[in-house]
Amino acid sequence: MATKQEEQQTQAARHQEVGHKSLLQSDALYQYILETSVYPGEHEAMKELREITAKHPWNIMTTSADEGQFLSMLLKLMNAKNTMEIGVYTGYSLLATALALPDDGKILAMDINRENYQLGLPVIQKAGVAHKIDFREGPALPLLDQLIEDKSNHGTYDFIFVDADKDNYINYHKRLIDLVKVGGVIGYDNTLWNGSVVAPPDAPLRKYVRYYRDFVLELNKAMAADPRIEICQLPVGDGITLCRRVY
C-alpha cells in the first residue's frame, strides 16, 4: 500500500505530465470544482460528447469541462451572436458555444480534419444546434484572408475562440483583430502551455511542448504590448487569454 508521501509524489508527477487539463496543484481540488460546479448543471449533450472524446487517442486536444462551462457563461454575458472558432477537434467547445448562442446565432468553424468533427456531429445534431454551425475544412489562414478582403466582414464578430496550431497564433491574431468588433473578444487557448512558459531551459519537456512553447511565449509578449486590445489571462484549463478589442 502506497504511503502518503508516495501518493503526493505520484500526484506531482501527474501534474508534470503533459495532458493534465488543470493547472491547479491539487487533483482533488480540480475534481471538487468539476463535481461541485461543472457536472451538476452540465448539458446532457456536453456530457455525451465529453465521454466520446475521452476515448479518442488525441483526447489531450479537447477543451476541459470547466473551460467549456466558462466559455458558455462568457458568451451569455456578452450576448454574443456572431462567432468564430479556429480549431474544432471533436466539437466540444463548439457545442458549448452553440448551446450558449441564441437560436439565430452563428459560428464559423474551421479545422483541417473533418473526420474528428464528424465524431461529435451526431451529438451536436441531436442537441438541435447544428444549424448554427458553418463548418469549413482546411487551413484557417486562407479563409481568414478571404474574409478580410471583403470589408463588410470587418468588425462583425462578437467572439472568436482559437485552439489550433500554436505556431500560427500570431498570424491568426494579425487577421482576427480586423474581424472582431470593437468591444468584442478573442479567446486564445493554451496560453500557459501546461505550465511550460515558466519552465527552466533544462526542464524535462516533451518535444512538441518544447517546440510550441516559444510560439506561446511570443504570443503572450505580443498581446501584452498590443495597444488595440486589453487582455486577461486566466488559469482555466491550460490557460486562456481573453483579448477585448478597444479600437
Side-chain angles (χ1 to χ4, degrees):
M1 185 174 179
T3 65
K4 185 174 182 180
Q5 183 179 8
E6 288 172 335
E7 290 175 354
Q8 290 174 338
Q9 289 173 343
T10 299
Q11 186 181 82
R14 282 204 300 271
H15 279 280
Q16 292 170 4
E17 186 71 14
V18 174
H20 195 282
K21 296 302 288 186
S22 171
L23 295 166
L24 293 173
Q25 291 300 306
S26 165
D27 285 333
L29 182 56
Y30 181 52
Q31 197 63 32
Y32 173 82
I33 292 172
L34 293 176
E35 293 177 358
T36 304
S37 300
V38 180
Y39 294 160
E42 185 178 35
H43 193 284
E44 187 60 35
M46 292 292 290
K47 178 182 179 182
E48 183 178 355
L49 185 49
R50 175 167 56 81
E51 292 175 346
I52 290 171
T53 305
K55 299 174 184 177
H56 192 273
W58 299 345
N59 58 43
I60 186 178
M61 298 197 309
T62 192
T63 301
S64 62
D66 55 324
E67 187 174 5
Q69 182 194 52
F70 170 74
L71 291 173
S72 175
M73 177 69 79
L74 177 64
L75 289 161
K76 291 173 183 176
L77 290 172
M78 293 176 60
N79 293 314
K81 189 172 181 179
N82 190 36
T83 72
M84 182 190 301
E85 181 162 331
I86 301 175
V88 172
Y89 186 38
T90 62
Y92 184 78
S93 58
L94 185 62
L95 177 58
T97 300
L99 289 169
L101 296 183
D103 192 61
D104 60 346
K106 298 296 180 185
I107 314 166
L108 176 58
M110 313 174 201
D111 200 287
I112 59 172
N113 191 320
R114 180 181 292 273
E115 184 177 345
N116 288 334
Y117 170 60
Q118 288 177 333
L119 286 174
L121 185 56
V123 180
I124 293 171
Q125 292 171 331
K126 187 166 62 173
V129 293
H131 66 282
K132 303 178 186 181
I133 300 169
D134 177 9
F135 179 82
R136 309 287 185 91
E137 183 179 21
L141 289 175
L143 180 53
L144 293 176
D145 287 337
Q146 289 178 21
L147 290 172
I148 290 172
E149 284 179 10
D150 184 348
K151 297 290 185 180
S152 67
N153 291 318
H154 288 209
T156 59
Y157 287 87
D158 303 311
F159 180 77
I160 301 172
F161 183 58
V162 183
D163 183 8
D165 43 333
K166 316 309 169 196
D167 46 344
N168 266 321
Y169 269 27
I170 285 284
N171 293 323
Y172 293 145
H173 186 68
K174 291 176 181 177
R175 292 159 172 81
L176 296 178
I177 197 67
D178 289 330
L179 296 173
V180 71
K181 72 178 186 181
V182 173
V185 173
I186 307 171
Y188 291 99
D189 201 21
N190 306 113
T191 58
L192 293 176
W193 201 224
N194 201 235
S196 68
V197 290
V198 295
D202 58 348
L205 301 174
R206 292 188 179 181
K207 288 183 179 179
Y208 85 95
V209 174
R210 184 176 299 279
Y211 173 76
Y212 286 116
R213 177 180 62 169
D214 290 341
F215 294 103
V216 173
L217 288 169
E218 179 188 11
L219 174 77
N220 291 340
K221 185 177 180 180
M223 288 194 296
D226 190 339
R228 299 168 295 178
I229 57 174
E230 55 184 8
I231 66 173
C232 178
Q233 188 172 37
L234 300 169
V236 178
D238 192 28
I240 180 172
T241 300
L242 302 179
C243 308
R244 178 178 176 272
R245 183 180 174 187
V246 293
Y247 70 82

